[in-house]
Amino acid sequence: MKNKRAVIVQCRLSSTRLPGKALKVLGGKTVLSWVLNSMKKVDADRYFVATDFESYDTLAPICKENGFECFAGELDDVLKRFCDLIKKIKVSTIIRATADNPFLFYEAAQASLEEFEQHRKQKKSCAYLTFTGLPHGSGVEIIDAASLLEAAEQTDNPYDHEHVGPALYNHKENFTCEFVKAPSRFYNPELRTTIDTYSDYLRAVSIVNYLGAPNQSRKKWTPYTTEQILDACKSEFVQNPIVYVPSVTKGQGTGHLHRCLASAIATKGFVYIPKDSTLTEIDQLVNEYLQKGLDKNQLIDELPDQTFEPVIVTDCFKMSEKEAKAFYKCKKLISIDEGSDYTQNCDYLLDIIPSYDCERLPNTFDTSYIEKPVNKRNTKSLNIDKVLVCIGGEDPAGLTVPAVRSLAKVLPGAQITAIVSNLEKYRDMIQINFIGPVKNLREKIHEYDLVVTHYGLTAFEAAFAGCAVIMLATTKLHEKLAQKYDFACIPQGKIDSVKMQQALESPKLHPSLELSLEQKSLSDCIKKLSLGTRLLCPVCRTLPANPDPIISRNAGRTYRRCRSCGIVYMSFSAEEEKEYKKSYFFEDYKKQYGKTYQEDFDSIKKQCVRRIQNIKLLEQGQGSRNYLDIGCAYGPSLAAAQENDLNPFGTDISEDAVQYVKNELHFPACCSAFPDMDSEKEFGISKFDSISMWYVIEHFKDLDSVLSKVSSIIRDGGIFAFATPSGEGVSAKSNPDNFYKISPTDHFSIWEPHRAQKILGRYGFEVVKIVSTGHHPERFPSIKDSNSDKDSMKWKLVDKYSRLMQLGDTVEIYCRKRK
């Protein structure tokens, strides 16, 4: 009996890019099982996996479990493999899929099958049909079996025989092939769901983690719908995969790995543990966190490539130069307690463990992210009966033995316990209770009166638990850190009973940490930062081979100076983007200036009159008429332009503002996101005589396209003018970090007047006038320190000095388009 339809899934295990990918596990099921489960939803008479002879024995059980038959054929001649199966089962229509696509759109497969049969009814001939525009890996092919047999006889092209479809669609002169644009429900050509590479597999893991794995107890499960797959692929979770890179080097402790494994559980991120890692406690820690909910697929020994570009979160003590360069090329680089010389590469620096006189400032320093013990001592014990020595399982400096021997001498009646990684090494020592690494030590540390440790998480956890703490310094830096944070400390060098006794008598034995007692979630912080935006230089628009130098960091943003053009720009932001709606001009404006934009209209217009007069003077009597204000808001500059005999035109992205300009002020205006505005279409004007941006230019992430557009729509000799905060004003010069901290979150560039010509010259402009504005004597340190008032001579002198030296916090720049 001839079968009408057969689903045939093509599968082999000898892939060169990712061997055995069909057997890789997603959510407890093999990739092949995912494919077969989806394709079983397509209406067919029989269901087959077509594989090679060598793979057959491995794949046959999986096929049977999922209701598929398994057929073995040629390894390299895939076309012959399909044709042999067609001849065997005498099928008329093939629904072909490949086994590396676990997230097939089975609804699209069914729809394309119906479309194929409809084509055949209408045209009486259709050899091949597929939907175009599906995510790469989500589609199938519908093939006329008889046509494929005919095509196989006609071609000896190796490429045709390595595949299936090309034997038909590469020979359209002989066969009717239909490439149908997929219905909008399925059309998402920018997405990728296939598994061709290791990075693809990690993406698939993220999709399953996002949507949730199927019920493991059932042999069959409901595959994801199209909408579920698209939701996952477009989610920030999959678009911004997190890869944690902890220190797994012997001698650097286990705290880094602890933090990363814990955060990975909460964020469903990956933890990168290279095969050459030397930390001896990796397996033990990993097993501990696997029991807490970590999935073994979250542990990786290879970083994903740019096809699944990750957010790198380092917690690795010190990055090497090689690591810093590699991580900088990823989507974003967030570093925790980074102590290397390569922090310029980091988009964001988060310091949790206090450091001493670090030469670089972090974006955030917050001890609230130290996970504090829930179990704490009720009182500070004056008697020391129980002592814990915890120098890290590896104890690279060999401090454990001299520490416990000294403690045994000065505290002969105390019970001393020491945590070590190799118990055999200490088996002959008496009086001391040597134990292996303790699971969840943080919640058991309160049981000890005294904790002897080195600088790290354990010291702070013990202090927060109310224990007495002695810190053993391994470097001069650690001595300074202990002193800074009020820990009793035995200096670097030989440990003996005299030094131990001195430490026990120290008034700092119970450290009074002046650190935050609040408990914040590190994983929540990482989630937020992972969704932050890395920004390129708005003029040059490229990621430089070597990172641009850091100018300033604050809790929400990082600023750099472009090595090429010199502009200061926001290079990373973890802030929410502002929307320029009505609230921006009312509530937000009022918060900053004490009145709404419209309430401030007359004073803004007064400034605009002066600016328009400057433009007219610079026109040198050339009769400037058509004036365009980009970011016109509610139109004060347009009103000023009309009063000065110009023809005003405005554009803004706020629909409410544009409607006000058109309906209340009766000026021509359009709602458009510059530079997308088509001035010819909107106003019938291809070249303006003058163009302005008053406190608008800093809001553009892409200044290159903006300035190119301005240059193209202004006549030769025309004036382009803009006002913007000044990076050379008193606020920026006297307290730069505060200047950038209070800079609005939607200001993506900071202009410095003396660098303006270099930037604007690229676009054919020559700076002809610079006006320093926004003079504030009260912001000068000398006025702040003396509390001088506005009527004082000192205030007047400082105000005069500010104007003379052009130290205003805002600036107006006027330039002429070169002829």
Side-chain angles (χ1 to χ4, degrees), residues 518-704:
E518 181 184 359
Q519 183 66 70
K520 293 182 180 177
S521 168
L522 178 59
S523 57
D524 286 349
C525 176
I526 296 300
K527 281 181 186 178
K528 179 181 178 181
L529 293 176
S530 72
L531 300 180
T533 304
R534 174 188 277 178
L535 300 157
L536 301 175
C537 168
V539 177
C540 301
R541 303 297 298 155
T542 57
L543 185 69
N546 295 313
D548 289 331
I550 299 289
I551 296 299
S552 184
R553 294 184 185 273
N554 59 57
R557 287 156 280 148
T558 299
Y559 292 87
R560 299 180 186 268
R561 182 186 301 284
C562 178
R563 294 179 189 275
S564 178
C565 71
I567 200 167
V568 173
Y569 66 97
M570 187 191 300
S571 65
F572 180 82
S573 174
E575 312 273 6
E576 290 186 16
E577 290 200 21
K578 287 186 179 179
E579 294 185 34
Y580 300 102
K581 297 181 178 180
K582 189 173 183 179
S583 61
Y584 178 81
F585 297 100
F586 287 82
E587 290 90 344
D588 292 355
Y589 189 93
K590 190 170 184 176
K591 285 178 185 177
Q592 187 169 359
Y593 299 106
K595 57 181 75 174
T596 67
Y597 191 91
Q598 284 186 316
E599 289 171 344
D600 207 20
F601 187 94
D602 289 339
S603 62
I604 298 173
K605 179 185 170 185
K606 183 178 179 181
Q607 292 296 323
C608 290
V609 167
R610 177 183 56 77
R611 295 169 187 154
I612 295 296
Q613 290 172 348
N614 280 335
I615 290 175
K616 293 193 71 173
L617 286 172
L618 293 170
E619 281 289 331
Q620 298 174 341
Q622 294 190 30
S624 170
R625 296 293 297 165
N626 293 330
Y627 162 74
L628 174 66
D629 187 27
I630 299 168
C632 65
Y634 285 81
S637 187
L638 303 179
Q642 184 188 54
E643 290 180 7
N644 282 271
D645 300 322
L646 300 183
N647 297 326
F649 299 86
T651 180
D652 201 284
I653 61 173
S654 168
E655 180 66 39
D656 185 78
V658 168
Q659 289 303 314
Y660 181 87
V661 168
K662 292 166 70 174
N663 299 332
E664 301 297 328
L665 301 184
H666 306 294
F667 297 136
C670 68
C671 186
S672 178
F674 198 83
D676 297 335
M677 181 198 75
D678 185 338
S679 62
E680 186 79 54
K681 179 181 177 181
E682 296 290 348
F683 306 123
I685 298 173
S686 59
K687 299 280 186 180
F688 291 89
D689 299 296
S690 54
I691 296 175
S692 67
M693 293 183 191
W694 306 124
Y695 299 102
V696 171
I697 198 166
E698 63 275 7
H699 292 272
F700 291 108
K701 296 178 184 177
D702 181 359
L703 279 176
D704 179 54

Side-chain angles (χ1 to χ4, degrees), residues 37-329:
N37 188 50
S38 291
M39 293 308 294
K40 197 70 174 179
K41 299 281 284 185
V42 179
D43 186 17
D45 300 298
R46 296 184 75 175
Y47 300 85
F48 276 89
V49 169
T51 188
D52 58 276
F53 294 107
E54 188 174 339
S55 303
Y56 179 86
D57 289 341
T58 303
L59 299 181
I62 301 174
C63 296
K64 183 177 180 181
E65 180 182 326
N66 289 278
F68 272 68
E69 300 174 72
C70 194
F71 174 82
E74 297 288 337
L75 171 63
D76 297 322
D77 195 338
V78 182
L79 180 58
K80 183 177 185 302
R81 190 194 311 170
F82 267 69
C83 289
D84 288 346
L85 178 55
I86 290 169
K87 293 173 184 177
K88 178 179 178 179
I89 62 176
K90 297 181 175 58
V91 70
S92 61
T93 301
I94 301 167
I95 302 99
R96 176 184 174 271
T98 56
D100 51 6
N101 298 327
F103 308 115
L104 288 163
F105 286 4
Y106 62 84
E107 301 104 324
Q110 184 66 40
S112 60
L113 173 61
E114 294 168 3
E115 181 97 6
F116 174 82
E117 293 182 344
Q118 189 65 29
H119 273 257
R120 290 216 300 195
K121 285 180 181 178
Q122 294 175 350
K123 299 183 179 180
K124 298 182 181 180
S125 173
C126 186
Y128 175 96
L129 183 143
T130 191
F131 280 164
T132 63
L134 274 71
H136 183 58
S138 294
V140 301
E141 298 170 310
I142 315 299
I143 298 171
D144 177 66
S147 298
L148 189 66
L149 292 174
E150 182 182 347
E153 291 293 328
Q154 295 178 5
T155 181
D156 57 5
N157 186 308
Y159 185 82
D160 290 347
H161 280 266
E162 289 171 11
H163 303 82
V164 178
L168 295 168
Y169 59 70
N170 282 349
H171 305 277
K172 293 179 182 177
E173 69 280 4
N174 300 323
F175 303 99
T176 302
C177 299
E178 300 289 346
F179 291 83
V180 180
K181 182 178 178 180
S184 58
R185 177 189 177 191
F186 310 119
Y187 191 84
N188 286 273
E190 76 283 1
L191 300 178
R192 181 179 178 88
T193 58
T194 191
I195 298 180
D196 285 335
T197 65
Y198 180 67
S199 294
D200 288 336
Y201 173 64
L202 296 184
R203 180 189 293 105
V205 170
S206 291
I207 290 172
V208 173
N209 283 342
Y210 178 81
L211 293 173
N215 190 327
Q216 304 266 343
S217 63
R218 298 168 57 191
K219 289 186 177 181
K220 295 181 181 179
W221 71 93
T222 303
Y224 299 147
T225 65
T226 295
E227 285 69 31
Q228 285 178 308
I229 296 168
L230 292 177
D231 177 46
C233 290
K234 295 177 181 179
S235 70
E236 291 288 0
F237 184 87
V238 175
Q239 292 287 325
N240 288 282
I242 300 172
V243 174
Y244 294 92
V245 183
S247 170
V248 283
T249 301
K250 186 175 182 179
Q252 294 181 359
T254 59
H256 308 279
L257 183 55
H258 266 292
R259 279 197 298 209
C260 289
L261 291 170
S263 291
I265 291 176
T267 62
K268 296 295 184 183
F270 300 94
V271 181
Y272 173 59
I273 302 177
K275 293 177 181 178
D276 60 355
S277 302
T278 57
L279 185 65
T280 57
E281 296 165 290
I282 290 176
D283 290 343
Q284 178 185 343
L285 285 176
V286 165
N287 288 332
E288 177 183 332
Y289 281 92
L290 287 173
Q291 294 174 21
K292 292 180 179 179
L294 187 73
D295 189 295
K296 63 181 180 180
N297 283 334
Q298 291 176 257
L299 302 169
I300 61 176
D301 57 19
E302 179 183 339
L303 291 173
D305 61 26
Q306 291 184 338
T307 63
F308 188 52
E309 198 172 17
V311 176
I312 298 291
V313 179
T314 65
D315 188 353
C316 55
F317 191 63
K318 287 186 178 183
M319 288 187 293
S320 67
E321 182 178 8
K322 182 180 179 181
E323 288 173 329
K325 286 182 177 180
F327 298 155
Y328 163 70
K329 294 177 183 177

